[in-house]
Amino acid sequence: MFFDSWTGLARVLVVGTLAYAALVLLLRTSGKRTLAKLNAFDLVVTVALGSILATVLLTKSVALLEGILAIILLAGLQFGVAWLSVRSPRFDALVKSEPVLLLHQGRFLDRALRAQRVTRKDVLAALRGQGLARAEQAAAVVLETEGTLSVVPAERLPEAEPLPGVKRPPAS
């Protein structure tokens, strides 16, 4: 169906504007954590927020206040998870993954690469993105909790210095 009624179009305009304003207001008041780089939990919340907004916009049987309540509930749950994560290392480990070392002192850690489903090409691309031409020029490449690859150039990390929060590979 191409066109149902002018009332339906007006509802989408009014409800969409109000729902969008409520979502923006909630995201601004809930703090920067809500808009931080996405880990798996944040991605789920973001997708769910988008789904709620779309449902409120396009489903006549869902009232605007029900949608706003659902958005507030999700933001509140995310705030609760973030609050608990900061206060409980055990809970934080349950919700978030740990950074994983993929390259150490110029050597690829193939077991870690396989476990994380990252290819050597991915690591080399991250190195090039940081201006390094060869793996030997890197002290470390770490797969961060939100999925980005961090590169530490060799001259910035002496061999004996550990990376805080990242386990060193076992000695060969």
Side-chain angles (χ1 to χ4, degrees), residues 23 26-27 29-31 33-34 41 45 49 52 68-84 91:
L23 181 60
L26 184 69
L27 290 174
T29 58
S30 65
R33 173 72 181 92
T34 308
F41 179 76
V45 171
L49 287 172
I52 290 169
I68 290 174
L69 179 61
I71 289 169
I72 290 170
L73 173 65
L74 276 179
L77 289 171
Q78 182 175 13
F79 177 83
V81 167
W83 187 86
L84 279 171
F91 186 80

Side-chain angles (χ1 to χ4, degrees), residues 100-102 109-120:
V100 177
L101 194 60
L102 302 176
L109 304 175
D110 291 313
R111 190 178 307 168
L113 287 167
R114 278 191 304 277
Q116 299 303 315
R117 295 178 310 280
V118 177
T119 66
R120 286 181 176 220

